[in-house]
Amino acid sequence: MFKILEANELTTNIYQMIVEAPRVASACLPGQFLIIRVDEEGERIPLTICDYNREKGTVEIVAQAIGAETYKLSKLKAGDELADVVGPLGKPSDLCEMSVDELKKKKILFIAGGVGTAPVYPQAKYLKEHGVDCDVIIGAKTKDLVILEDRFKEVCNLHITTDDGSYGRSGMVTKALQDLWDEGNKYDHCVAIGPMIMMKFVCKLTQELGIPTVVSMNPIMVDGTGMCGACRLTVDGKVQFACVDGPEFDGHKVDFDQAMNRMKLYKTEEGRLFLKAQEGDTHHGGCGNCE
Amino acid sequence: MDGFVRVPVREQDAKVRATNFEEVCLGYNKEEAEKEALRCLNCKNPQCVQGCPVSIDIPAFISQVKTGDVEGAYQTISKSSALPAVCGRVCPQESQCEGKCIRGIKGDAVSIGKLERYVADTARELGIKPEGAKEKKGKKVAVIGSGPSGLTCAGDLAKMGYDVTIFEALHEAGGVLVYGIPEFRLPKTAVVKKEIENVKSLGVKLETDVVIGKSVTIDELMEKEGFEAVFIGSGAGLPRFMNIPGEQAMGVFSANEFLTRSNLMKAFDENSRTPIMRPKKCVVVGGGNVAMDAARTALRLGAEVHVVYRRGEEELPARKEEVGHAKEEGIIFDLLTNPVEIHADENGWVTGITCIRMELGEPDESGRRSPVEVPGSEFDIDCDAVIMSLGTSPNPLISSTTEGLEINRRKCIVAQEENGQTSKPGVFAGGDAVTGAATVILAMGAGKAAAKGIDEYLSSKQ
Ligand SMILES: Cc1cc2nc3c(=O)[nH]c(=O)nc-3n(C[C@H](O)[C@H](O)[C@H](O)COP(=O)(O)OP(=O)(O)OC[C@H]3O[C@@H](n4cnc5c(N)ncnc54)[C@H](O)[C@@H]3O)c2cc1C
Ligand SMILES: Cc1cc2nc3c(=O)[nH]c(=O)nc-3n(C[C@H](O)[C@H](O)[C@H](O)COP(=O)(O)OP(=O)(O)OC[C@H]3O[C@@H](n4cnc5c(N)ncnc54)[C@H](O)[C@@H]3O)c2cc1C
Ligand code: SF4
Ligand code: SF4
Ligand code: FES
């Protein structure tokens, strides 16, 4: 069992937790993920490692409650335990492989969308710790959904944009990128993490601008160790398993349309389970009031 | 002439079992087992033992069954096998112990597997456990993977008095026994869990959720955590695909994904939180045990199932019993057939598969006749799911993170057959990780040999 030391709601439906997982904490690097099971009957859900403390043996996760499992997770409090935490899984970010001199020569931009903001944090923090500057664009639908703003401010040049213009710049992250570029920011490395649709459009733009772009793919997974092939993607015409070959890939080579399609695979099946989790025992059927 | 025919084993009716996940074979009761045991001739030079990869003293345990001494029979088997309830169910007996039985020359071989299962099941019901170590050696050994090879190696080392910890990547122990082989062939709670508890009762520690090579490396285990030897029993879990057009469509799965969802995550159960596709018409590609398991699982989830295999009936690598069971349950075999392309609708869901007929060509050097396409014989099968069961290879997670561990062309770890020694001092390996996908009993045999090898290595080290 893995103890939750801290649990907070960052904004509507987005939850942050610090969990005791010494083996993961001692080995993980930015870009990697872990898999949890909330309880003994739970599904295995992959979540990016958002921060870690090697001395304390803890890792931080940020999860959006979108389905049955993440909804259950959101109900847990400090002191509760997760049945399983396994990791770190996947490859660390390319940035961790580069030398500090190499990194310093680059002008690096991160683009984060929605809950994808959290996985960007450890990478920006890693750069800061190695004395490397970077820019970060955080995109959110509206002001209330911007997360981790204060922590980002400490480690990067932060640009916030909201779809409705309620905070920071106005418009989608692609508009912010175009604007920053036009303002004279000539980036030569981009990392985009967020919903697949966002990553797809960021990649389209960075291809036009000629900025090499890395994306972090989050397909449906089961084991996370290369055993099932559920997470397979086509990258540069070749089949890749996101859990072991990724999760980061060259965004200009990923077949996003196919990847987005594959995400729909269990939609109806999961919708059913989600309703069950939310309504719990209150839903008996047969009352005539619901379908 | 009674003696020529084996006592038939009771099974769930094919029509009934095709709709449930309960065990197909019901096993012998006391009376049936003792009757079948009488057929054994207690040979002086028992050929059956030579056919068993772990050399169980078969005539001895069968004699004990004859006299009703189940406890004695269990201890006889336990000397050679840590998982008799599993082997009795899943060993390819027809090509091993029973394939060599003298009774088989004129009539049916003795049902050795069913008798072994009877002994193990009865012992479990009576609460009989294997005997543990008397003296501790005070030395730590790490075992990677909790499949049959790892469990056997760990159990044997614990019996010798070593302090053993098993590290398992998944949240549950058992390897293929829990994630691959379905409930209807190998009950998880009633059989596999209990066998694992037996191993634990010998003092073996089990740490799940640890991926060696990711959470911690072999070098770290040896240098920082004080393990003096390591056994790698990490299996061959990496699935292959065909690389044909349409393989990324929705509704195309590896057998591993389909089976893991159903077995490990229990998705066959309506109440499970893990989703699984319930196909209407499903094509399973391949002819091994894994293909049979995927096909029979899909059938139980409500599908009409076609097994597409490129060679003929004779060449099907699956156990005969499984092929027979599959046929009885209504699975359709399209033999000498190979897929060429998978089709999908505009939303990306599978709608069908184009296959081509094959014929067997001249035998090659190995004597196997390889299939060749019959030009122009393409035809379509409509379906909404395709399950690829083309074999698996060892996962590179461990070999790529362990300095000095030699692997061969097929990505298998190189280890000596007699003691499991790898190219790295103190590191031993066995099972599918060394041989590529094989059988439970061969993996157990390798775990056993490695336990002996580790004991010799550590004894000579001091
Ligand atoms: C490598 C990786 C890292 C991830 N990191 C994070 C993270 O840091 N924070 C976070 O909130 N989420 C993250 N995710 C997504 C997270 O795993 C899913 O949201 C979660 O599995 C959904 O589980 P559920 O049971 O609550 O929802 P489900 O009931 O399983 O699904 C609800 C809906 O989400 C879709 N869905 C299913 N799986 C995924 C998935 N893997 N990604 C996105 N949508 C999915 C389904 O199609 C369905 O429509 C990550 C995924 C991967 C693969
Ligand atoms: C569906 C199916 C049906 C089969 N049917 C039969 C049958 O009827 N009869 C028969 O004899 N054989 C059958 N087999 C084959 C048999 O199950 C295998 O040969 C046998 O299980 C191999 O045992 P093993 O111990 O080498 O590996 P496995 O059983 O594969 O166990 C390996 C374990 O190691 C773990 N692991 C892997 N990597 C790591 C890591 N880096 N860190 C920690 N843990 C790790 C895995 O999670 C797994 O639990 C079948 C196989 C399958 C898939
Ligand atoms: S372990 Fe397998 S091969 Fe050996 S006797 Fe038992 S069933 Fe036969
Ligand atoms: S070969 Fe057959 S008859 Fe002879 S001892 Fe073995 S099981 Fe009995
Ligand atoms: S999640 Fe199973 S192979 Fe990647």
Side-chain angles (χ1 to χ4, degrees), chain A residues 211-224:
Chain A
I211 316 171
T213 302
V214 169
V215 293
S216 178
M217 299 300 286
N218 51 5
I220 292 171
M221 293 188 175
V222 183
D223 59 300

Side-chain angles (χ1 to χ4, degrees), chain A residues 33 43-50 62-71 115 118-119 216-221 247 263-267 270-271 274:
Chain A
F33 64 99
E43 257 211 87
R44 297 171 65 92
I45 55 177
L47 296 168
T48 311
I49 299 166
C50 296
V62 172
Q64 183 167 25
I66 56 162
E69 296 303 314
T70 42
Y71 179 76
V115 70
S216 178
M217 299 300 286
N218 51 5
I220 292 171
M221 293 188 175
M263 294 293 290
K264 293 188 296 204
L265 189 51
Y266 293 105
K267 257 212 155 116
E270 271 167 350
F274 183 43

Side-chain angles (χ1 to χ4, degrees), chain B residues 127-345:
Chain B
I128 302 168
K129 300 223 172 243
E131 286 163 19
K134 283 159 206 87
E135 274 171 54
K136 298 271 174 258
K137 293 218 198 268
K139 287 184 185 208
K140 283 170 70 177
V141 181
V143 168
I144 303 170
S146 59
S149 68
L151 289 171
T152 303
C153 186
D156 275 18
L157 287 167
K159 283 187 203 160
M160 296 175 202
Y162 289 98
D163 177 359
V164 187
T165 306
I166 301 182
F167 295 98
E168 168 56 50
L170 293 172
H171 58 261
E172 211 172 305
V176 169
L177 309 181
V178 294
Y179 80 71
I181 304 181
E183 184 73 19
F184 54 83
R185 234 164 29 93
L186 188 61
K188 306 294 164 247
T189 314
V191 177
V192 182
K193 268 219 174 97
K194 292 279 161 45
E195 298 261 50
I196 290 167
E197 272 158 27
N198 278 348
V199 174
K200 285 210 268 184
S201 75
L202 297 168
V204 172
K205 290 174 218 131
L206 173 67
E207 200 180 324
T208 50
D209 295 327
V210 183
V211 185
I212 303 297
K214 287 285 178 187
S215 315
V216 59
T217 62
I218 289 185
D219 292 300
E220 287 165 346
L221 286 177
M222 298 182 83
E223 283 155 24
K224 294 194 190 146
E225 300 196 21
F227 290 99
E228 294 186 51
V230 176
F231 173 75
I232 307 172
S234 53
L238 205 70
R240 272 184 224 129
F241 287 92
M242 289 189 86
N243 293 320
I244 56 172
E247 224 170 0
Q248 304 294 67
M250 283 188 292
V252 183
F253 306 93
S254 75
N256 265 8
E257 178 184 354
F258 200 71
L259 290 169
T260 301
R261 282 181 183 277
S262 184
N263 301 326
L264 181 72
M265 308 307 295
K266 314 205 168 49
F268 69 84
D269 183 344
E270 287 277 346
N271 291 319
S272 163
R273 276 146 58 187
T274 296
I276 193 164
M277 182 176 172
R278 292 172 186 262
K280 288 187 192 64
K281 191 167 165 188
C282 174
V283 167
V284 175
V285 183
N289 283 323
V290 186
M292 295 307 121
D293 285 344
R296 296 171 70 198
T297 297
L299 177 100
R300 283 163 171 75
L301 293 171
E304 171 186 325
V305 183
H306 290 246
V307 168
V308 166
Y309 178 59
R310 65 199 177 113
R311 298 175 198 258
E313 168 108 34
E314 275 304 300
E315 288 79 17
L316 278 170
R319 293 178 68 213
K320 287 251 157 15
E321 183 176 336
E322 307 311 330
V323 176
H325 279 157
K327 284 189 177 159
E328 286 164 26
E329 289 163 10
I331 285 172
I332 301 152
F333 283 77
D334 293 318
L335 301 172
L336 289 165
T337 302
N338 209 28
V340 280
E341 181 174 359
I342 298 166
H343 307 284
D345 65 14

Side-chain angles (χ1 to χ4, degrees), chain B residues 54-57 75-82 152 444 448:
Chain B
V54 296
S55 311
I56 290 181
D57 190 345
Q75 298 301 353
T76 303
I77 298 173
S78 288
K79 278 190 205 127
S80 316
S81 167
T152 303
M444 286 182 46
K448 224 174 171 47

Side-chain angles (χ1 to χ4, degrees), chain A residues 194-207:
Chain A
M196 280 204 203
I197 186 83
M198 177 206 99
M199 294 193 281
K200 173 181 165 174
F201 282 103
V202 166
C203 286
K204 232 171 130 183
L205 179 57
T206 56
Q207 190 142 33

Side-chain angles (χ1 to χ4, degrees), chain B residues 433-446:
Chain B
V434 169
T435 56
T439 62
V440 170
I441 192 68
L442 285 173
M444 286 182 46

